[in-house]
Amino acid sequence: QQLAQLALGLCVGFTVPAGGAARGAGPRAPVARSADGVAPAATPQVLAGSDGPEAWVAAAARLLLGAALGAALLGTAAAPARADIEDVAVPVDAKGKTMTMTKEQLVRGKRLFLAACSTCHVGGGTRTNQNVGLALEELDGAQPPRGNIESMVDYLNAPMTYDGLKDISEVHPSIKSADLFPKMRSMKQQDLYDMSAYVLYMNFTIPEKWGGG
């Protein structure tokens, strides 16, 4: 498709405007006919002025114009379509409520995540347990499901095992165990919210890379 667009641009450059040849050729001589009314075989004719400097300049200009048009079409086709931050709906709760992040929220959530969580969860994986990462499928498979902001915030306040049966706050950073994990001492609920939104946002924008794909 990209090659076709480039070829289209070049064709535009080589196309002679209607009437262009007639202007360069001048008046046409009448065709002589024999006594029986049959015209003799046509002989090749050279257009007057077709090799003049004006013709060469015009041809070069059309070529450059066509090449520029083709390159522009090719560049437009090659540019990937990227969704705006505001177009990504992030789940807020288990009832289907969603929200969209601002650029400031996304930057803040990423900064907080890298500072507090990336030691164990770099790239959305889990270094201490390769079987349970931060991919959406794994978050939704937990008990209770963690694939929304509110449920992730609950986890960061008081973390439980994947099956939801045992408190693990003594081994996982959380507000409940902030005395054991200094990075959590300054965390506010809005910080937990932004970090959770960032994790889910990454799931929706680069699922093939986040959490091990």
Side-chain angles (χ1 to χ4, degrees):
Q1 182 181 3
Q2 295 175 355
L3 291 176
Q5 291 174 330
L6 181 58
L8 174 63
L10 292 175
C11 286
V12 172
F14 280 114
T15 301
V16 179
R23 286 194 299 269
R28 298 181 60 183
V31 178
R33 298 178 180 272
S34 60
D36 57 1
V38 178
T43 57
Q45 296 185 12
V46 178
L47 296 178
S50 62
D51 57 348
E54 294 83 358
W56 283 106
V57 170
R62 288 194 298 272
L63 175 61
L64 292 175
L65 176 61
L69 177 60
L73 291 172
L74 185 62
T76 301
R82 299 182 63 182
D84 292 333
I85 296 174
E86 293 82 2
D87 293 336
V88 180
V90 178
V92 174
D93 57 29
K95 298 179 181 179
K97 181 180 178 181
T98 62
M99 58 86 72
T100 56
M101 301 183 72
T102 64
K103 183 177 180 180
E104 291 73 20
Q105 280 181 304
L106 181 61
V107 171
R108 187 169 184 273
K110 179 180 180 179
R111 177 176 57 80
L112 290 167
F113 177 85
L114 293 177
C117 310
S118 62
T119 300
C120 294
H121 294 293
V122 60
T126 302
R127 289 182 176 178
T128 56
N129 186 349
Q130 299 296 324
N131 296 320
V132 181
L134 298 180
L136 190 59
E137 181 179 359
E138 294 161 351
L139 293 173
D140 282 336
Q143 294 297 326
R146 304 292 183 180
N148 61 78
I149 296 175
E150 289 186 357
S151 189
M152 289 189 67
V153 170
D154 288 342
Y155 181 88
L156 292 173
N157 275 300
M160 304 290 289
T161 53
Y162 195 69
D163 57 12
L165 299 177
K166 183 180 178 181
D167 183 301
I168 57 171
S169 58
E170 292 186 358
V171 296
H172 191 287
S174 64
I175 300 300
K176 185 176 182 179
S177 57
D179 56 327
L180 300 176
F181 300 95
K183 291 182 179 179
M184 301 302 294
R185 295 174 187 172
S186 60
M187 288 285 181
K188 308 299 182 184
Q189 292 302 303
Q190 185 62 48
D191 299 332
L192 305 183
Y193 189 98
D194 290 345
M195 284 195 297
S196 300
Y198 168 74
V199 169
L200 294 169
Y201 176 88
M202 297 301 284
N203 269 291
F204 288 109
T205 53
I206 54 169
E208 71 283 357
K209 297 180 180 179
W210 185 258

